[in-house]
Amino acid sequence: LKMTSVHKFGQAVPIQCHSWSAERRSLALSHNNNTVEVYDQVSGGWKLTDKLEQHDLRVNDIDWAPNTNRIVTCSADRNAYVWVKGPDGKWKHTLVLLRINRAATCVRWSPQENKFAVGSGARIISICYFDQENDWWIAKHIRKPIRSTITTVDWHPNNILLAAGSTDFKVFIFSTYIKEIEPKPSATEWGAKMPFANLMAEFSNSPTGGGWVHAVSFNSEGTRVAWVGHDSSIAVADAPSGMVMMKLKTSMLPLLTLTWIAPNKLLGAGHDCVPVLFHVDASGKVSVGSQLEELTVVESAASSSAMNMFRNKDRVGTELLDNRLYSTHQNQICSMRIYSGTKDGATAVSTSAGDGNLVIWDLQTLAAKFNDLKL
Amino acid sequence: LDSLHSENHVNANSEVTFERIGKMSKNTKSSAFRRIDVDQYNEDNYKEEVDNEPVTAGPNENEVTSLLSQNKQIDALKHVLSNAPLGNKNQAIKDASLNLVLRVLLSFKTSKIEEAVNQLDNEARDVLMKYIYRGFEVPNEGSSAQLLVWHEKVFALSGVGSIVRVLTDKKKL
């Protein structure tokens, strides 16, 4: 059984975002441009089945709803589109007016897939729901007290609460309760009163300030929220214990994405190009676990000979021509999704990176090599 | 005579006109308006949060001098790091603290540096890394060579993360 499988999709252009269909038979991704490509898994590889071309500027995020099979995309062109597959097999798009005057940065369907949240550079989160009467998507705004760009959003399992990370170094928990489409929610550990746009909790990434928040993730029960910041840190806030926040300053390069893979385990990835495991104990304290790859240097006979060294020095001015990283990904990992399993117990994750590759990490086979991965 | 008069008349008119133009051009002669920072009036601007947390006044110089004279360099190091004036608005205090820290760092024998770094906790090592880079900014008499040894030892334990935090932490030394 392979621990990792590497997948390429044409040119070696960064894959900014990707999202899987319900059965993982199809994949939607964007190559850092204004189009979204949909691939189907076929024996021996991938087949490009569709190109979703409506956005004018770079597509910043994609999310594929597993149950309703709808894709939502958002872009720097300040728009979002909802795509529905018609009986003829073609994807039909509907424009969603987000009413923002800056780029849309991130988008996620709610657990029940009747709403989606879009973060933007307009310092606004647009919560969008479908209005049957007028046959269009309505966007409601959450503004206060957001003071800079929203970079990441993640939903609580109750379909109401939303975690959001921002470049104002904060993590917010908002209520997105929309009375037109859902029943009043019951109290959670984050609070009892949940009018739309109510700020349930706010966490500062650091007392010394600094560090854009790159990714947030609720655990499967919604009792804890984890995030990673550009100050090379990872933090967990625990609601039941009274909103206690535990932060770990790592010795690595900043992480860009993370997800819970078990009630007490987090997987993060970013500028070090390798996913890293983190353990969270009962009190919420975070500690570093294994990297999912041993970065061993492979010395090839040719490159280490003295003659080659001087030849290279003469030709290009440096001894070594080899600038390959020793990890599978050759560039920062920007997006990570659970491929199989859930946040309660993930068995595989997929990562897409700046090298244009998508790698699927089989956590069960990796657990044989890295013991602390065992669930 | 008539033409003279009429010339005068014309001249008088133009003088008035020139006078008016003179007044207008005086208004726009000053180009101070070009130096107004228009961005300050933009409502959308990100305003730094007002932080009311108390800031330390920096390490105590007498304490440090006495510790150094007793050859208790590691204690002096721990003192200056735990009393670092992070985010203090007073530049004089920050400069004085930097000089004190550099005195301590340079008082170490090179062979003793690793042992000292091992005794620090993660927070102190992050502060130390910030001071190392501040020290690089004001090199004098081979200070950088010693600082490079400090850098190597701190990096071995705190990795690139501590260097990233030198750049991202907003409360500067």
Side-chain angles (χ1 to χ4, degrees):
Chain A
L1 273 167
K2 285 179 74 177
M3 293 190 280
T4 59
S5 55
V6 182
H7 305 264
K8 296 178 196 285
F9 302 89
Q11 342 105 302
V13 173
I15 298 177
Q16 178 63 26
C17 46
H18 71 280
S19 189
W20 297 95
S21 66
E23 311 286 307
R24 305 305 188 241
R25 252 186 273 125
S26 300
L27 170 70
L29 56 82
S30 183
H31 272 123
N32 227 28
N33 56 20
N34 63 339
T35 58
V36 172
E37 295 169 0
V38 182
Y39 290 87
D40 279 353
Q41 284 218 45
V42 295
S43 64
W46 300 89
K47 180 166 156 254
L48 176 66
T49 51
D50 277 291
K51 265 193 173 183
L52 311 180
E53 299 172 287
Q54 277 299 315
H55 286 294
D56 299 315
L57 295 175
R58 184 165 171 268
V59 171
N60 282 326
D61 209 2
I62 306 169
D63 201 27
W64 198 323
N67 299 323
T68 51
N69 202 39
R70 293 186 291 199
I71 298 178
V72 63
T73 60
C74 75
S75 154
D77 65 3
R78 300 169 281 126
N79 289 330
Y81 285 94
V82 175
W83 305 79
V84 178
K85 204 163 188 178
D88 59 350
K90 294 252 168 275
W91 290 94
K92 198 171 86 84
H93 62 270
T94 309
L95 173 67
V96 178
L97 288 172
L98 299 172
R99 298 184 290 119
I100 54 180
N101 59 1
R102 291 290 187 279
T105 54
C106 51
V107 64
R108 286 290 183 269
W109 285 105
S110 70
Q112 287 169 25
E113 298 170 23
N114 55 354
K115 299 189 281 193
F116 59 87
V118 184
S120 69
R123 309 170 344 168
I124 291 171
I125 301 174
S126 300
I127 305 298
C128 306
Y129 67 99
F130 194 69
D131 178 31
Q132 288 287 1
E133 207 185 309
N134 294 305
D135 190 33
W136 69 341
W137 290 87
I138 296 183
K140 289 183 80 165
H141 285 171
I142 298 177
R143 286 172 202 270
K144 291 195 192 354
I146 304 169
R147 287 158 62 240
S148 192
T149 302
I150 296 289
T151 52
T152 171
V153 288
D154 193 47
W155 288 90
H156 185 285
N158 75 352
N159 207 59
I160 304 288
L161 298 178
L162 181 78
S166 166
T167 55
D168 66 5
F169 324 121
K170 298 265 191 290
V171 169
F172 307 100
I173 311 287
F174 287 112
S175 162
T176 69
Y177 167 58
I178 295 179
K179 61 184 193 308
E180 285 88 345
I181 59 164
E182 52 202 347
K184 203 153 170 220
S186 40
T188 69
E189 296 88 351
W190 299 96
K193 298 228 176 289
M194 279 174 269
F196 180 83
N198 190 40
L199 180 68
M200 311 298 290
E202 180 181 326
F203 301 98
S204 181
N205 185 46
S206 160
T208 44
W212 286 0
V213 178
H214 287 308
V216 282
S217 182
F218 265 115
N219 64 351
S220 72
E221 292 182 334
T223 51
R224 287 173 163 173
V225 68
W227 66 88
V228 285
H230 202 74
D231 57 344
S232 290
S233 70
I234 178 169
V236 174
D238 184 85
S241 71
M243 313 290 183
V244 170
M245 176 184 131
M246 299 277 203
K247 183 174 154 124
L248 173 70
K249 292 185 182 180
T250 75
S251 59
M252 308 176 289
L253 287 176
L255 298 163
L256 293 172
T257 176
L258 95 163
T259 179
W260 291 87
I261 53 166
N264 58 352
K265 292 200 202 324
L266 283 158
L267 203 61
H271 287 287
D272 274 321
C273 315
V274 187
V276 183
L277 182 66
F278 292 93
H279 300 284
V280 187
D281 70 12
S283 69
K285 194 149 161 271
V286 189
S287 56
V288 191
S290 310
Q291 279 194 326
L292 296 197
E293 270 185 323
E294 260 161 27
L295 304 184
T296 47
V297 180
V298 176
E299 287 269 1
S300 72
S303 65
S304 61
S305 83
M307 179 157 123
N308 268 320
M309 187 186 98
F310 285 108
R311 186 187 281 147
N312 283 335
K313 206 164 169 127
D314 179 44
R315 199 152 54 93
V316 293
T318 57
E319 284 89 351
L320 277 170
L321 267 187
D322 192 5
N323 55 3
R324 267 187 66 86
L325 293 179
Y326 301 116
S327 48
T328 303
H329 273 304
Q330 293 297 299
N331 216 313
Q332 81 280 350
I333 294 173
C334 28
S335 174
M336 177 161 61
R337 298 285 205 155
I338 291 181
Y339 181 73
S340 62
T342 62
K343 280 178 178 177
D344 244 344
T347 47
V349 294
S350 62
T351 51
S352 69
D355 55 5
N357 290 340
L358 185 130
V359 177
I360 297 178
W361 307 77
D362 188 324
L363 300 177
Q364 289 177 311
T365 33
L366 281 164
K369 191 167 182 201
F370 303 106
N371 278 324
D372 55 352
L373 252 184
K374 288 203 170 78
L375 298 178
Chain B
L1 266 171
D2 273 65
S3 55
L4 269 175
H5 274 293
S6 59
E7 267 179 29
N8 278 337
H9 188 63
V10 165
N11 279 345
N13 242 354
S14 349
E15 265 166 29
V16 169
T17 315
F18 283 139
E19 212 177 282
R20 283 211 195 103
I21 290 173
K23 277 213 180 95
M24 277 163 55
S25 69
K26 265 202 201 102
N27 269 339
T28 53
K29 232 183 230 171
S30 154
S31 53
F33 75 91
R34 298 183 188 280
R35 291 190 189 85
I36 302 174
D37 176 20
V38 290
D39 286 331
Q40 71 189 261
Y41 301 113
N42 184 357
E43 286 165 2
D44 279 342
N45 261 1
Y46 175 75
K47 286 174 188 53
E48 204 64 62
E49 224 172 47
V50 176
D51 186 16
N52 292 319
E53 257 181 59
V55 257
T56 49
N60 184 314
E61 182 165 4
N62 294 328
E63 169 107 15
V64 172
T65 311
S66 109
L67 284 169
L68 285 179
S69 59
Q70 296 169 52
N71 251 340
K72 292 187 176 159
Q73 281 116 343
I74 294 186
D75 288 334
L77 178 65
K78 287 182 177 169
H79 174 89
V80 292
L81 291 180
S82 58
N83 288 304
L86 285 161
N88 196 317
K89 306 248 182 355
N90 187 325
Q91 189 60 36
I93 291 181
K94 293 206 273 196
D95 290 341
S97 303
L98 173 62
N99 288 330
L100 209 47
V101 171
L102 289 175
R103 250 182 71 196
V104 174
L105 295 182
L106 296 172
S107 74
F108 274 80
K109 271 215 226 351
T110 314
S111 51
K112 298 277 183 204
I113 291 179
E114 186 168 346
E115 178 197 344
V117 172
N118 283 338
Q119 288 194 30
L120 299 173
D121 63 19
N122 288 327
E123 285 293 330
R125 274 196 288 268
D126 272 358
V127 177
L128 176 53
M129 189 57 100
K130 293 183 170 76
Y131 270 122
I132 291 169
Y133 277 96
R134 284 286 284 121
F136 282 142
E137 288 173 32
V138 286
N140 67 323
E141 289 172 8
S143 65
S144 294
Q146 176 90 326
L147 285 175
L148 275 172
V149 180
W150 279 102
H151 188 280
E152 179 196 341
K153 303 302 177 196
V154 178
F155 177 75
L157 288 173
S158 295
V160 284
S162 63
I163 300 179
V164 171
R165 282 185 284 281
V166 173
L167 299 168
T168 60
D169 279 358
K170 304 217 79 179
K171 290 197 183 164
K172 304 284 184 197
L173 278 175

